[in-house]
Amino acid sequence: MSNDTKSNGRGKWGSRIGFMLAASGSAIGLGNLWKFPYITYKFGAGAFVLVYLGCIALVGLPIMVAEMMIGRRSGLNPVGAFKKLTNRRIWVFVGGLGVTCGFILLSYYSVVAGWALEYTVKSVRNDFANHQTITDKDIGAHLFAEYIKTPKSKSDPIKAGYGSELSTISFYDLKSPKAKKAFLAKLAKAWGEFAKGKPEIYAKLKSNTTASLLDAFQRGDDYSSRKLRLQRSLWVGALFGKFVASPAKVVGWHLLFMLLTMLIVVGGVSQGIERASKILMPLLLTMLVYLVIRALGFSSASESLAMIFRPNFHALTIEAVLEALGHSFFTLSLGMGAMLTYGSYLSKDESLTTSSIVITALDTLIALMATIIIFCAIHAFKMPVGDGGVSNLFRAIPAMFQETPGGNWLTVIFYVLVAFAALTSTISLLEVVVSYFIDERGWSRRKATLLMGSAIALLGVASALSLNAWANFKPFFGKTVFEFFDYTVSNWFLPLGGLFVALFVGWVLPVEAKRDELKGLPAVAFGLWHVTIRYISPLAVAGVFVWLLYQSIVA
Ligand code: PFF
């Protein structure tokens, strides 16, 4: 976009490719690389991915066309757009909701974007290579921690390899199933005594169990390669834990990322970003393809794939459906006016449907690739994931690249690309807020960017502290500030904004205007889109909301 076309700071895209790069840059970001794999992991994958794909096709894609349509028709920011297209003031509220969402979303998004900067530095320093720091003692402690977490399964040999007796007798030496059973019963009894509160038994059990787990680990086949993988796995975990525990670092990187975003939004150097996108986006794609190939080479890959793609509807909860729905908005930058704002800079000659399809397809492809890579790596390295998956992107990739020739430099490039992908998204988020203040309040671009950018940066500090200093501050339904912001904005406000966009375009915008905007689209395709935007998308969103509210009332 060139900022110089009009004196108020608004402009038009320099080229079709410019728009496509900026809009897909907005869509492709941490949502694809960090959040989708993380929530897929958190919700146990299975049917989650399928529900997400359904949401993308039936809700996300049609609403993207609708949002860009409102933007192009009005040529304005979310608030101004509704004001221009209708007299009913109620719709202006939808625009206001969008601007507010952009404000909050950017505040915590920039925190995670800051992690990518820290990881770029970590890669340059080659921190990930220091896995030897993990000793046998650490491995023993890890095996014990894992053991304690898993339910007591008598048939599982790892679970079975514990107990006070193991200093003299190993489970693995017992050949007959009967002897094994008796042995396990004895151990279960010992643990039972511990459960009744005998701490001295616990101490003994713990040290014996740790010793025997370590013994079993060392006796197995491929000990040295398994040890190396475990060291790498524990090391990348320790590095992440240490980093997020530091308020100064997390806050510092977040502020720096906000500063970068503001510099670009205020400086009108978007053309430079466009130019960089032309190289960096294909590079990101190439790197992901390479990583997918490597990930599929792990011996456990088929299990990982089955976990991602084999639907298990029994395990699907309504919360998971809400998350999948919310994420389809988050990942496509919908429901808060970002695509609307970008559409407002789009020229009449471009096809809204083709643009939307290309962006959606690319976005989905990248999310799925990132998920495949991360799941395969987590399984292959048997990574302990205590935080529900938040750190997955920051463990899986360094661990994988440590096994690749030249991997250290590839890790540097990878995190630079993550940071860049995040930057093209944060630019679009700030642009929504800024364009509102330029158009509606008559502010200059500089003033809007500086004031709003600083306010957002300040709010983001609360999210940054949620991971360390304020980790136990959970005033909102047991959620930290970070979790609460993400939950309310992604899962409720973005779909709500999208619902209004669908209703507006479906029912308020005159049909002639829609036909005019989608000129060139075959009648059947237009009809299909129109039915979806009028009935299917709004009903899907409203249905999930009603279902969830009903459940929370009944429960
Ligand atoms: N779509 C971005 C991502 O997936 O990372 C996040 C985002 C950007 C959401 C812009 C909303 C938005 F307006």
Side-chain angles (χ1 to χ4, degrees):
M1 179 202 348
S2 54
N3 288 314
D4 46 17
T5 333
K6 284 189 205 164
S7 54
N8 65 358
R10 279 199 147 260
K12 277 260 179 284
W13 299 104
S15 58
R16 171 184 168 71
I17 186 83
F19 166 75
M20 287 304 285
L21 284 170
S24 40
S26 168
I28 297 161
L30 296 172
N32 310 63
L33 303 169
W34 164 72
K35 194 174 169 190
F36 183 66
Y38 147 50
I39 56 178
T40 303
Y41 188 89
K42 184 172 156 196
F43 286 95
F48 182 84
V49 175
L50 210 64
V51 174
Y52 166 76
L53 293 176
C55 291
I56 291 285
L58 294 178
V59 182
L61 178 60
I63 290 184
M64 186 181 287
V65 174
E67 229 185 74
M68 287 182 182
M69 186 181 279
I70 299 177
R72 187 164 72 180
R73 198 88 199 144
S74 64
L76 289 170
N77 68 87
V79 174
F82 284 104
K83 269 194 199 160
K84 184 168 172 186
L85 297 177
T86 163
N87 306 326
R88 298 247 180 91
R89 281 289 162 259
I90 170 96
W91 293 104
V92 176
F93 150 82
V94 180
L97 180 74
V99 175
T100 315
C101 279
F103 193 97
I104 301 174
L105 207 161
L106 177 54
S107 75
Y108 67 84
Y109 193 93
S110 156
V111 172
V112 183
W115 300 354
L117 294 182
E118 162 78 15
Y119 269 65
T120 307
V121 174
K122 275 196 185 341
S123 325
V124 172
R125 283 199 312 237
N126 205 3
D127 283 354
F128 305 112
N130 298 330
H131 55 269
Q132 305 88 341
T133 322
I134 301 292
T135 61
D136 276 1
K137 200 167 159 237
D138 300 319
I139 292 181
H142 156 73
L143 293 173
F144 182 76
E146 287 293 294
Y147 153 75
I148 272 298
K149 270 195 303 206
T150 54
K152 284 199 167 46
S153 148
K154 294 193 175 168
S155 56
D156 179 341
I158 299 271
K159 280 294 302 175
Y162 65 81
S164 57
E165 304 285 326
L166 278 177
S167 44
T168 50
I169 180 174
S170 167
F171 177 82
Y172 289 90
D173 293 335
L174 293 170
K175 292 285 177 273
S176 96
K178 215 169 154 192
K180 283 186 177 177
K181 215 171 147 190
F183 176 76
L184 288 168
K186 222 167 153 187
L187 296 182
K189 202 168 146 225
W191 278 96
E193 282 183 46
F194 151 63
K196 280 187 224 135
K198 293 193 179 166
E200 67 287 356
I201 296 185
Y202 178 72
K204 193 169 168 222
L205 279 176
K206 183 177 173 183
S207 79
N208 285 339
T209 306
T210 304
S212 59
L213 286 169
L214 200 53
D215 175 54
F217 181 75
Q218 287 164 347
R219 281 184 194 219
D221 297 336
D222 304 329
Y223 164 60
S224 54
S225 62
R226 277 187 301 117
K227 177 175 176 179
L228 190 61
R229 278 218 167 144
L230 195 55
Q231 280 181 309
R232 285 183 172 144
S233 158
L234 296 180
W235 179 235
V236 291
L239 278 178
F240 185 82
K242 197 164 165 235
F243 161 58
V244 289
S246 157
K249 276 197 175 174
V250 180
V251 170
W253 287 120
H254 151 66
L255 294 179
L256 185 68
F257 207 91
M258 275 308 299
L259 192 69
L260 266 174
T261 309
M262 285 158 68
L263 282 176
I264 291 160
V265 171
V266 80
V269 290
S270 337
Q271 276 179 356
I273 292 289
E274 262 177 56
R275 238 174 284 138
S277 300
K278 279 187 202 162
I279 302 163
L280 297 183
M281 286 275 205
L283 193 58
L284 176 65
L285 219 83
T286 313
M287 210 149 192
L288 290 173
V289 170
Y290 170 74
L291 282 167
V292 166
I293 294 169
R294 280 201 78 93
L296 293 179
F298 288 131
S299 57
S300 52
S302 55
E303 283 162 55
S304 312
L305 290 181
M307 193 175 167
I308 305 170
F309 294 109
R310 193 185 295 146
N312 171 11
F313 285 98
H314 294 297
L316 191 68
T317 60
I318 177 66
E319 282 78 19
V321 174
L322 180 75
E323 187 82 22
L325 175 76
H327 189 68
S328 66
F329 284 91
F330 184 100
T331 193
L332 295 175
S333 305
L334 297 176
M336 50 148 282
M339 287 300 170
L340 188 157
T341 308
Y342 274 9
S344 74
Y345 300 108
L346 186 60
S347 95
K348 265 277 188 244
D349 320 321
E350 305 303 342
S351 157
L352 295 182
T353 38
T354 312
S355 310
S356 302
I357 290 171
V358 171
I359 295 165
T360 305
L362 207 60
D363 187 85
T364 309
L365 181 75
I366 291 186
L368 291 177
M369 287 204 289
T371 307
I372 292 172
I373 296 163
I374 288 173
F375 268 63
C376 288
I378 294 286
H379 287 150
F381 283 86
K382 296 192 169 52
M383 288 188 181
V385 181
D387 53 20
V390 175
S391 60
N392 282 356
L393 175 69
F394 299 91
R395 296 164 178 242
I397 305 296
M400 271 180 84
F401 275 138
Q402 282 302 308
E403 293 192 344
T404 313
N408 186 45
W409 288 106
L410 293 176
T411 320
V412 178
I413 299 171
F414 184 84
Y415 284 109
V416 168
L417 293 173
V418 174
F420 183 78
L423 188 64
T424 50
S425 299
T426 54
I427 293 169
S428 75
L429 284 159
L430 188 56
E431 188 65 34
V432 170
V433 180
V434 164
S435 71
Y436 163 75
F437 282 92
I438 294 175
D439 293 345
E440 302 302 308
R441 302 287 170 105
W443 290 13
S444 68
R445 175 166 282 271
R446 173 178 285 267
K447 178 178 167 191
T449 311
L450 288 183
L451 282 185
M452 288 302 119
S454 311
I456 292 168
L458 204 64
L459 181 66
V461 172
S463 293
L465 295 179
S466 298
L467 300 150
N468 34 63
W470 292 1
N472 295 321
F473 177 57
K474 297 180 175 178
F476 316 102
F477 312 101
K479 293 185 191 319
T480 63
V481 179
F482 184 116
E483 290 163 346
F484 178 72
F485 279 170
D486 189 33
Y487 177 75
T488 28
V489 171
S490 313
N491 293 10
W492 290 93
F493 290 153
L494 296 186
L496 191 68
L499 172 66
F500 282 116
V501 165
L503 291 176
F504 183 81
V505 170
W507 300 91
V508 178
L509 202 66
V511 152
E512 309 80 67
K514 288 180 261 196
R515 282 200 204 284
D516 179 45
E517 285 295 331
L518 296 181
K519 255 194 320 251
L521 192 66
V524 181
F526 180 84
L528 215 64
W529 169 78
H530 205 209
V531 168
T532 314
I533 205 74
R534 285 192 124 183
Y535 302 100
I536 300 178
S537 314
L539 280 176
V541 177
V544 174
F545 280 178
V546 171
W547 184 7
L548 202 100
L549 290 173
Y550 171 77
Q551 270 220 341
S552 55
I553 292 166
V554 170

